[in-house]
Amino acid sequence: MPVAHENEKLKILIRSTAIHKRVVQVACKITRDYKGERVHLVGVLKGACIFLSDLVREINLETSIDFMAVSSYGKKKESSGQVRVLKDLESSIEGLHVIVVEDILDTGLTLSYLLRVLQQRRPASLRIAALLDKPSRRIKPVKGDYVGFQIPNEFVVGYGLDYAERYRNLKDVCVLTLPEGAQ
Ligand code: IMP
């Protein structure tokens, strides 16, 4: 069982074995969909780094990767709704088949902003891969093209996802419960 910080509680939601199996399936689908093409994966830091590194190794195509960082929730569990680019891409995406790789699609605020920014740079195509999807939380109508798992409205950590920078290293995706009064 993963070790929780102070009075926080962790409960496994998706085991690492199930994550691995699903990542392979998603990568196979990408490999089929982009047959004969090169795909350019854009990871959204920091949460997507683990998903991206597992995913790219299972894609059997020519690939390249780049990263963007956008403002996150910080130490809070709720989105402020305001998105800021903290780190931009290193190179142009013009004419490339881009897949934005996200850890989780929640309200959709981050991705709808990012898609708008990236679309203006004239990629050949632009799709989304997200390990997790919480459809019940959606504010902006964003749909993942490649989704690992739909999950209920719970705050989750592990496999790249954090709470106050902790828990990204957990192999399983776990539901995090904070002590009373800390939400
Ligand atoms: P959105 O803009 O609300 O869709 O949120 C996107 C970002 O919020 C994700 O990339 C995560 O960094 C963060 N986030 C949303 N839900 C969770 C969660 O359950 N655990 C950890 N981070 C989350």
Side-chain angles (χ1 to χ4, degrees), residues 44-45 47 72-73 77 79 83 102-111 134 137-138 151 154-157 161-163 168:
V44 185
L45 294 172
S72 76
Y73 295 2
K77 278 179 156 190
S79 171
V83 185
E102 255 284 32
D103 51 359
I104 186 164
L105 242 171
D106 189 28
T107 62
L109 290 166
T110 310
L111 268 178
K134 279 194 237 176
R137 293 256 308 161
R138 205 72 92 251
I151 62 166
E154 306 266 20
F155 193 84
V156 290
V157 294
L161 291 116
D162 75 309
Y163 173 66
R168 292 194 199 274

Side-chain angles (χ1 to χ4, degrees), residues 19 22-23 26 47-56 101-103 129-132 146-148 159-160:
I19 297 172
R22 187 69 187 127
V23 169
V26 170
C49 65
I50 293 178
F51 176 40
L52 185 142
S53 49
D54 282 350
L55 185 69
V56 71
V101 182
E102 255 284 32
D103 51 359
L131 177 74
L132 306 173
Y146 303 99
V147 171
Y159 197 74

